[in-house]
Amino acid sequence: MACEEVANSRPLFLTIYTVVIVSIVVSTLYVFSAIHYSSSAALSSFSPLSNEDSRLSDQTLNSSQSETIRVVPSAFPEPQNVPKKPVLNLPPRNKKMPPLKDFRLTKELVQQRVKDNIIIVTFGNYAFMDFILTWVKQLNDLGLSNYLVGAMDTKLLEALYWKGVPVFDMNSHMSTVDVGWGSPTFHKMGREKVILINSILPFGYELLMCDTDMVWLKNPLPYLARYPGADVLTSSDQVIPTVVDDSLEVWKEVGAAYNIGIFHWRPTESAKKLGKEWKELLLADDNIWDQNGFNDIVHRELGPSVDEDSGLVYAYDGTLKLGILPSSIFCSGHTYFVQGMYQQLRLEPYAVHTTFQYAGTEGKRHRLREAMLFHDPPEYYNPPGGFLSFKPSIPKSLLLIGKHTIGSHFKLINYQMKQIRTALAIASLLNRTLVMPPLWCRIDRLWFPHPGVLEGSMTRQPFLCPLDHVFEVNVMLKELPEEEFGPRIDIREYSILDNPSLPSEVKKSWLDVHLCKEGTQDCNASNNVTSGGVLRFPKHSNEETFMRVFSSFKDVKVIQFSTMQGAFTGFTNKEREDRFRKRVKHYTGIWCCVTDHTPGHIYYDMYWDEKPGWKPIPPQTSADDHPPW
């Protein structure tokens, strides 16, 4: 009887077994795809166990809290580039520069570039030429040619013309230098943007207006076409997602400002009316920031929803149909570089705007370079003297164990900072460009008091943080008087050695330096390279030893140290050491901000380890509120 029941139930068992096996296979494939995806995901996704490339030795974590691990960031995703024919037409060099009147903004000029009734526009002055060229290159790589660049000074107009970039004269008579955020000239640039919008809308074309400090990663036009009823689609400073797919933000839940660095206008009567009133408001009061003016007007009336599905909302005068682009894929500097929101939601980003960053324009460049999104000339990737790099090491206890607090954050940063200080000294000695290591943080940096990360955001802890979270990138790149601060120390972003633009001659000219204990086998202060192409070099070597041994490797493009722990005993030349110390003391910034204390910021200190009892606390009085130099 029992045997008969088993026989009768065999089809049922087979069905169950089949379902179980299929489920296991599907689950395995899903986990594998997730692991594969994360290996190419955003840097803000915590992945300290990523595989190192062939130049790095494999490391395995165990349960020891004191174990040192090699921390290698996962890569930013490649932009969604589609190979297309180049759209830049370089003018013949024997041709004379056309007169300025030929570059006036006219409907005919715009019509030459419009495609599917839409024109993409950015503008700037000569100080932002490299940003503009990056912006243009990304659009070209995406196969988009329907764009124009507004030149605010003649120098930029001429430079772009000779590079074949479609450019028009804004007749702004703007300075050619970086104007700085918040300055009167900065506000003048904002007014020029509003005037430009009002000049183009009457032509009858859709306008995708962009700031120059943003980069396109994917063709946005199909996305914008999904909302044909919208008069205006705008980006925002929202850092807490209101949706988890690629639909528009839920307007009722957006509490941050609408950001006018990326926004799309249709030439409707409502949009034209908004543009006209916005322009009149700004021209009547020089103290109004263009973005604040836009937000004030648009929020005059907000709601109800246009319909149940689109995500559009009635705004401004009750007739304008507004949509808020999702910050997960039309990214700010926070949702892209810090949160990696798009990666966590498994979405493809369309754009990144370098907001929520520090160290001015230089900080913006460095962030884009870290993500390998900035267009630099060939010489940037092959500097005189070559590169110096090292494999940073972090104890697991500092990175993974315990609560994420101000104290644990500073312990983690200080441990990394000491290695960087040593590397800067060696780079200075050898006259090499230092490849900054990836930097790990436990807590975020913002302009206001916060509990470590913003509640509701998708920031993971710890996270790979931009260099400008800790270092004053603008100071590191600034020309400082050598007689006071010693020789210049050039730096590059941590990702440069993996950048596809790195020349093959640099990739092939490589020396690995393994630090060893003096007196052990093959460990001596000589330039003898082992059969594996490795130089074994004694720990705790002094200035003279470095200069003597590495003078034989001046033609090597990349020298990579296995570690910076105990690599250098210090300078012999007291005057040189004093100037070096003065230089690097200026390199560190602040962390901000603690709650219930004014001031709330805490200064990073390059020489924290020389101050017994040093603690990460804010200045206790206004007299104490100064950098540690």
Side-chain angles (χ1 to χ4, degrees), residues 53-57 381 386-391 432 435 494-499 502-514 529-535 550 553-562:
D53 63 33
S54 60
R55 294 187 297 268
L56 306 183
S57 58
Y381 302 95
F387 293 111
L388 175 78
S389 71
F390 70 98
K391 301 176 186 178
R432 285 182 172 268
V435 178
Y494 69 83
S495 58
I496 192 168
L497 298 180
D498 296 313
N499 196 306
L502 195 73
S504 59
E505 62 180 290
V506 175
K507 297 176 184 178
K508 294 176 181 177
S509 181
W510 193 286
L511 176 68
D512 281 311
V513 180
H514 288 185
V529 178
T530 66
S531 56
V534 174
L535 175 68
F550 288 99
F553 301 103
K554 287 185 177 179
D555 294 331
V556 174
K557 298 293 185 180
V558 182
I559 294 178
Q560 179 169 264
F561 279 73
S562 59

Side-chain angles (χ1 to χ4, degrees), residues 81-92:
N81 292 346
V82 180
K84 297 284 184 179
K85 293 181 180 179
V87 295
L88 295 182
N89 296 312
L90 297 177

Side-chain angles (χ1 to χ4, degrees), residues 281-543:
L281 175 70
L282 296 182
L283 295 181
D285 189 345
D286 290 343
N287 295 317
I288 299 177
W289 179 26
D290 57 341
Q291 183 164 290
N292 285 349
F294 177 81
N295 276 269
D296 289 344
I297 293 176
V298 170
H299 282 86
R300 189 177 296 160
E301 288 188 38
L302 192 64
S305 298
V306 173
D307 51 48
E308 293 183 1
D309 303 319
S310 68
L312 299 176
V313 59
Y314 287 110
Y316 171 48
D317 60 356
T319 67
L320 181 95
K321 288 173 288 221
L322 176 74
I324 306 165
L325 297 168
S327 61
S328 59
I329 50 179
F330 291 86
C331 310
S332 68
H334 199 277
T335 61
Y336 188 86
F337 296 109
V338 176
Q339 295 189 52
M341 188 186 291
Y342 69 90
Q343 184 271 336
Q344 297 193 62
L345 296 176
R346 303 295 177 90
L347 300 172
E348 291 183 354
Y350 284 89
V352 55
H353 186 193
T354 53
T355 55
F356 289 90
Q357 49 74 224
Y358 310 91
T361 304
E362 290 82 358
K364 294 174 183 284
R365 282 192 187 92
H366 197 84
R367 283 205 186 184
L368 292 174
R369 284 168 171 163
E370 286 182 334
M372 295 189 285
L373 293 176
F374 203 74
H375 178 58
D376 279 299
E379 56 267 24
Y380 180 82
Y381 302 95
N382 191 5
F387 293 111
L388 175 78
S389 71
F390 70 98
K391 301 176 186 178
S393 57
I394 303 173
K396 190 172 69 172
S397 59
L398 291 182
L399 189 67
L400 302 176
I401 307 301
K403 293 182 179 180
H404 300 291
T405 63
I406 294 173
S408 65
H409 168 75
F410 270 82
K411 285 181 180 178
L412 173 62
I413 293 296
N414 285 347
Y415 193 88
Q416 298 171 87
M417 190 181 296
K418 190 173 181 179
Q419 297 174 61
I420 292 170
R421 186 181 76 198
T422 300
L424 286 166
I426 296 173
S428 176
L429 281 178
L430 303 184
N431 195 27
R432 285 182 172 268
T433 295
L434 178 63
V435 178
M436 296 295 290
L439 194 65
W440 288 88
C441 292
R442 277 184 174 256
I443 56 178
D444 201 353
R445 175 184 177 178
L446 295 159
W447 292 274
F448 47 84
H450 61 95
V453 296
L454 292 174
E455 186 177 353
S457 70
M458 299 184 72
T459 304
R460 291 170 138 185
Q461 294 174 277
F463 64 96
L464 196 66
C465 52
L467 190 65
D468 61 69
H469 268 211
V470 175
F471 289 90
E472 298 286 358
V473 179
N474 53 331
V475 177
M476 299 179 83
L477 298 174
K478 186 178 180 181
E479 291 289 347
L480 299 174
E482 188 169 330
E483 60 274 12
E484 184 178 358
F485 296 95
R488 175 185 173 90
I489 310 170
D490 281 328
I491 63 165
R492 293 291 188 271
E493 65 280 6
Y494 69 83
S495 58
I496 192 168
L497 298 180
D498 296 313
N499 196 306
S501 296
L502 195 73
S504 59
E505 62 180 290
V506 175
K507 297 176 184 178
K508 294 176 181 177
S509 181
W510 193 286
L511 176 68
D512 281 311
V513 180
H514 288 185
L515 295 187
C516 54
K517 185 177 180 180
E518 191 169 18
T520 58
Q521 185 177 3
D522 297 327
C523 186
N524 51 71
S526 71
N527 57 8
N528 295 328
V529 178
T530 66
S531 56
V534 174
L535 175 68
R536 289 175 57 77
F537 187 72
K539 289 183 177 181
H540 310 297
S541 292
N542 59 24
E543 179 179 342

